[in-house]
Amino acid sequence: MRLIDIKRSINIAFENFHPKFSTNNSGTYYIDDIQNIKVAIRELNHIGFLHTKDNNVDLLAQINASITNRFILSGAQNEAYKTLFDKLNYSIVMLHQWINNYVTTEETEETINIKLPQTNELREFSITIDLLESSLSEISIINGGGGIKIEQLDHGSLWVIISVCSTQIVKAISKAANAALDIAKKKVELELMKETLKRSKIETQATENYANLQKAIINQLLQDYSEQLEDQKEEDSNGLAKAERRNRYKKALDELTTLISAGTEFHPSLTAAQEVIDNFPKFDRQVEFKTPIADLPRNKENSHALQINPEEDDTQTK
């Protein structure tokens, strides 16, 4: 789990945990605001700070099961909840102070969450960042935006948060990511068919013909998507003609496809509007890119290739 997710849950708990104790002075006690307390407890449970037990004895489980906003308690029950809530309140305040001093990044509607491919080598990490910078910057510029900024490289995981100049660029990147995901899935499909041909011991010429067909199909998909995504104006504010913009889009899509094939994922900001969230690809519902593995160029000057193998990663955007 990313620190930015932990921060969000702690902040929600801090905002919602305000139990209100009262009594009628006749031996009956009350706790109000139970539903907001439930929200806070669920967030703390989500990040692993609390572990509620599913039984009637556990006080937190009783809150999670509640559908009312008030508890009516005996004196003993009231004291038990007061003791528990005093400890929780102290913990939440301390966690809130710590996480907001330690993780200062605040997500906005102009930020995008990117899960990087699993890698153990610095040169592979460098290649991934180069491809991200090249493809995303190109998409931003074509759509009238500026440069891409890194807001945070998440601690202890393979996630990076970037920011762009406007929600328009966020939408442009999300559309490009959707297109690249479709192309990456087609690559997997075609590669699996090629492997089937090899295992069937079909003559080499047939396999080579299929490989050429595979390249032609992917190239046509890149061309089709670049034409769909590119602005239809003859010339944009940067002075780029339509043909040049399409060529740049095609190159950016090719790079994004390579990244996604290696395991890269693109996710919206935690604070994004539902319209923006719906525009992003749903990577958790797609096929896993285990084979074939994309060959990434070592650097801009060297055309030799190395392989980045995506492995299971337990980090995810909730």
Side-chain angles (χ1 to χ4, degrees), residues 218-247:
I218 297 302
N219 185 66
Q220 187 60 51
L221 282 173
L222 288 168
Q223 185 68 34
D224 291 344
Y225 274 115
S226 64
E227 290 178 3
Q228 292 175 28
L229 293 170
E230 182 269 325
D231 193 328
Q232 297 303 308
K233 292 182 295 185
E234 289 300 323
E235 187 174 292
D236 65 9
S237 58
N238 297 313
L240 295 176
K242 182 186 294 186
E244 175 64 16
R245 290 199 306 274
R246 286 182 179 177
N247 286 335

Side-chain angles (χ1 to χ4, degrees), residues 34-281:
I34 294 297
Q35 293 307 307
N36 282 336
I37 294 170
K38 181 196 287 189
V39 170
I41 288 172
R42 285 184 174 176
E43 290 297 328
L44 294 175
N45 189 68
H46 169 64
I47 62 175
F49 185 75
L50 294 178
H51 299 282
T52 57
K53 301 175 183 177
D54 189 17
N55 60 59
N56 293 329
V57 178
D58 187 80
L59 300 179
L60 297 179
Q62 292 176 30
I63 293 173
N64 280 337
S66 175
I67 60 174
T68 67
N69 205 39
R70 166 177 275 195
F71 274 4
I72 303 174
L73 309 169
S74 66
Q77 290 173 320
N78 185 66
E79 287 303 313
Y81 271 108
K82 270 195 170 181
T83 300
L84 173 64
F85 284 177
D86 283 346
K87 293 178 180 177
L88 271 180
N89 186 64
Y90 178 82
S91 298
I92 291 170
V93 170
M94 291 297 101
L95 286 170
H96 182 261
Q97 291 177 356
W98 165 72
I99 197 69
N100 284 281
N101 287 328
Y102 187 53
V103 182
T104 57
T105 302
E106 296 289 345
E107 289 205 55
T108 68
E109 291 187 351
E110 285 78 41
T111 55
I112 298 173
N113 297 291
I114 302 174
K115 176 187 171 186
L116 304 178
Q118 184 75 37
T119 178
N120 296 316
E121 295 189 20
L122 284 175
R123 61 179 181 177
E124 294 177 354
F125 179 76
S126 174
I127 291 165
T128 300
I129 297 301
D130 282 346
L131 285 173
L132 277 174
E133 191 277 333
S134 173
S135 58
L136 299 186
S137 293
E138 196 69 81
I139 292 170
S140 177
I141 291 170
I142 292 172
N143 286 276
I148 308 293
K149 296 180 180 178
I150 293 180
E151 292 294 327
Q152 179 177 314
L153 184 62
D154 202 63
H155 306 269
S157 72
L158 291 169
W159 287 82
V160 61
I161 301 174
I162 64 168
S163 65
V164 296
C165 63
S166 67
T167 55
Q168 174 188 340
I169 304 304
V170 172
K171 291 178 181 178
I173 290 174
S174 68
K175 289 179 181 178
N178 268 304
L181 178 59
D182 287 344
I183 297 170
K185 289 170 66 179
K186 178 59 71 173
K187 271 189 172 183
V188 171
E189 179 185 323
L190 293 171
E191 191 67 25
L192 288 175
M193 179 61 72
K194 187 168 72 174
E195 291 301 317
T196 300
L197 290 175
K198 287 181 179 179
R199 287 195 298 270
S200 300
K201 297 182 180 179
I202 293 178
E203 62 183 57
T204 304
Q205 186 59 49
T207 304
E208 290 179 357
N209 290 341
Y210 182 82
N212 292 332
L213 176 63
Q214 178 185 22
K215 291 178 182 178
I217 292 172
I218 297 302
N219 185 66
Q220 187 60 51
L221 282 173
L222 288 168
Q223 185 68 34
D224 291 344
Y225 274 115
S226 64
E227 290 178 3
Q228 292 175 28
L229 293 170
E230 182 269 325
D231 193 328
Q232 297 303 308
K233 292 182 295 185
E234 289 300 323
E235 187 174 292
D236 65 9
S237 58
N238 297 313
L240 295 176
K242 182 186 294 186
E244 175 64 16
R245 290 199 306 274
R246 286 182 179 177
N247 286 335
R248 291 192 178 195
Y249 243 122
K250 184 177 178 181
K251 178 177 180 292
L253 283 178
D254 192 22
E255 292 172 338
L256 284 179
T257 301
T258 298
L259 287 164
I260 289 174
S261 295
T264 303
E265 297 180 7
F266 296 85
H267 297 270
S269 164
L270 296 175
T271 61
Q274 191 61 45
E275 176 191 1
V276 175
I277 294 172
D278 292 341
N279 283 336
F280 272 80

